[in-house]
Amino acid sequence: MPALVVLLVVMGMFYLGWRYYSLYLSEKVYALNDANVTPAHTLNDGVDYVPTNKHVLFGHHFTSVAGAAPIVGPAIAVFWGWLPALIWVVLGTIFAAGVHDFGSLVVSVRNRAQNIGTLTKSVLNPRSRTLFLVIIFFLLTLVNAVFAVVIGNLFVANPGAVIPIVAEIPLAIGIGAYIYRTKTSALIPSIVGVVALYALILVGRQFPIELDGAAEMLGMGPRTLWILLLFLYAFVASRIPVWILLQPRDYINSHQLFIALGVIFLGLIIGLDRIAAPAINTAVPDGSPSFFPFLFVTVACGAISGFHSLVASGTTSKQLDKESDARHVGYLGAVGEGSLAMGAILATTAGITAVGLNWEELYVDFGAAGAGAVGNFVAGIAGFASHLGVPEDLGRIFAAVVVISFAATTMDTGVRLQRYILQEIGDMVGTTADGRERGGAGGAFRRVTHNLTAVTALAVIVPLGLALMPGRGDAEAQGFAFGRLWTLFGTTNQLTAGLALAVIAVYVTKQGRSAVAQLVPLSFLLVMTVWALIVNLIDFVERGDWLLAPLDAIILVLAGWLIVEAFLGMKKAREDRATIDETISS
């Protein structure tokens, strides 16, 4: 199958989804009305609440939600064949992610730009606020763990990427200081930063940094040492103001995202690569995770991601100029991430052939898929870049720099958000209804969570333990363990999306409109997630994995809790709506 045909068909389907389905959502489901003044105007403070051009806001939103996750998931999922992964990405983007991201933005804008956590309390019930905090705690724990493993693997496999990535830190700090002091636009400084970053790739190629010797002296593997260093960095980076490092590095990464997409699509068009993987892999070895349900939690970001609801309701809703812009920003942002996921599928099934790799050897079993997923993507990007005249070794370093940059930013944000969540949980368990601190363990925990050093250490130690888990045994065993850890991340991400869809469905029902567009993906996600959790739990118990088995069991309980809250919320919304309609008719 020519990869170009797949690219054109998928982009055509994404266009049709944008042109017709998003229009249906905006008119019939969310009933957008520009006469409704957005919080960006009513609460305009020139800092957080700022009316923003929809094209500029789309760029900010897209780069905030897109990262390494829509690369890693699809790169693992092609193990079952490229066609199932692609179908889930396309249908998920059009009918699930678009509905979810678009709806999260609209409901937040209609409620004074409140975040999805606050909305669960006001739209569903106060219990749902607790559910939200617990789900997000597990989501962020798994996010930080899996991306530390991803970065560690990439540093070991691509030592030429170390210098550019490390140098990006002072580079971003310098850009942030310049923008902060001069109050100038970030565009030109960030472009200069990207040029400098890519120039450093040449330096990295000449002076690769490897930690094998240091790791051996400490009695550990090089990946383990990198993971420890990464969490030490995250401990420091998450404590400093966002304008110093996090924001300016996001400016640089925003350009990298579009450059990477350009390399994928332009390289594919020029190279005319063919897909080397089977449409459906019929040679899946015994003992591998089954196609159903694991495909749908392996590919979370790229098909639907609960993390997007945090961004849409947390920052994007505060900058929306008018309601009609929500269609462009929310739905099209989901399409953008779906396009990145499609690029990951094409890179790992077609791009790899340009550098002489054999797909069957790379994806011989699920362990190999988990161990080599990101490396296969890097090789695929190098293949596409080779069609543009870029040497393979430089192409690999370039791709590694892109993925590590995204994953490191996700870790920065994830540890920071985890600190906030722990503080909210501390307030919840350590404070009485009238605001006084409780005695005993509850009050002690609250005091710990409000100590910056202690709460940041807690936010780092928990995911660090999980990140070190896939480090036992040979490469295949490590890859299998990482694949299982990734599916747990996918389940918590899908639960977060399910909670957001439940909030949106209840809101739409209360407005007297059909919530079928939300209830269908919500039901599908819950079935696939619960199914995957049960299968995983049985497997973990049989293997004697007493680290992941309890974690899986807790997430399964949360899934059951979510099902109950969604049912009760919809039942009450329909009853309330029926009462309103009856009052109006009488």
Side-chain angles (χ1 to χ4, degrees), residues 57 60-66 100-101 104-105 108 113-116 305-319 329 413 417:
L57 186 56
H60 287 310
H61 178 78
F62 180 33
T63 54
S64 296
V65 299
H100 169 273
D101 297 13
S104 298
L105 180 55
S108 177
Q114 292 178 337
N115 63 58
I116 196 68
S305 167
F307 183 74
H308 294 199
S309 67
L310 305 181
V311 176
S313 65
T315 57
T316 307
S317 61
K318 296 176 175 61
Q319 302 173 61
V329 176
T413 305
L417 289 176

Side-chain angles (χ1 to χ4, degrees), residues 60-116:
H60 287 310
H61 178 78
F62 180 33
T63 54
S64 296
V65 299
I71 293 171
V72 180
I76 297 175
V78 294
F79 166 72
W80 292 291
W82 64 266
L83 186 58
L86 191 67
I87 289 175
W88 172 227
V89 165
V90 173
L91 296 183
T93 295
I94 294 172
F95 297 108
V99 173
H100 169 273
D101 297 13
F102 189 2
S104 298
L105 180 55
V106 171
V107 175
S108 177
V109 167
R110 296 259 178 87
N111 289 271
R112 295 174 57 83
Q114 292 178 337
N115 63 58
I116 196 68

Side-chain angles (χ1 to χ4, degrees), residues 3 56 61 126 159 179 187 255 333 404 415 443 513 526 571 575 585:
V56 174
H61 178 78
I179 294 172
L187 179 61
H255 300 302
I404 293 171
V415 173
R513 294 186 291 274
L526 290 177
K571 182 174 180 293
E575 291 172 351
S585 62

Side-chain angles (χ1 to χ4, degrees), residues 425-548:
I425 293 174
D427 288 337
M428 183 176 65
V429 302
T431 307
T432 61
D434 58 0
R436 291 182 294 108
E437 185 175 279
R438 298 181 188 273
F445 180 69
R446 181 184 182 277
R447 288 191 294 275
V448 168
T449 60
H450 282 267
N451 179 291
L452 181 60
T453 299
V455 72
T456 306
L458 187 59
V460 164
I461 290 171
V462 177
L464 173 60
L466 281 177
L468 295 177
M469 185 275 299
R472 303 186 297 270
D474 57 20
E476 181 179 332
Q478 292 179 21
F480 190 91
F482 174 72
R484 286 300 205 196
L485 188 62
W486 182 266
T487 59
L488 274 184
F489 156 68
T491 58
T492 54
N493 204 355
Q494 303 301 49
L495 285 183
T496 307
L499 184 56
L501 284 171
V503 170
I504 300 166
V506 169
Y507 173 82
V508 168
T509 301
K510 287 181 176 179
Q511 299 302 308
R513 294 186 291 274
S514 172
V516 171
Q518 291 78 31
L519 293 176
V520 171
L522 170 61
S523 301
F524 180 79
L525 282 181
L526 290 177
V527 169
M528 291 299 114
T529 299
V530 170
W531 186 358
L533 286 166
I534 292 173
V535 173
N536 260 341
L537 181 59
I538 294 172
D539 182 70
F540 292 149
V541 171
E542 290 178 347
R543 291 174 181 272
D545 192 331
W546 301 114
L547 176 63
L548 292 185

Side-chain angles (χ1 to χ4, degrees), residues 137-154:
F137 172 81
F138 284 105
L139 172 61
L140 293 173
T141 297
L142 288 161
V143 162
N144 294 329
V146 296
F147 284 124
V149 176
V150 167
I151 298 172
N153 284 336
L154 284 171

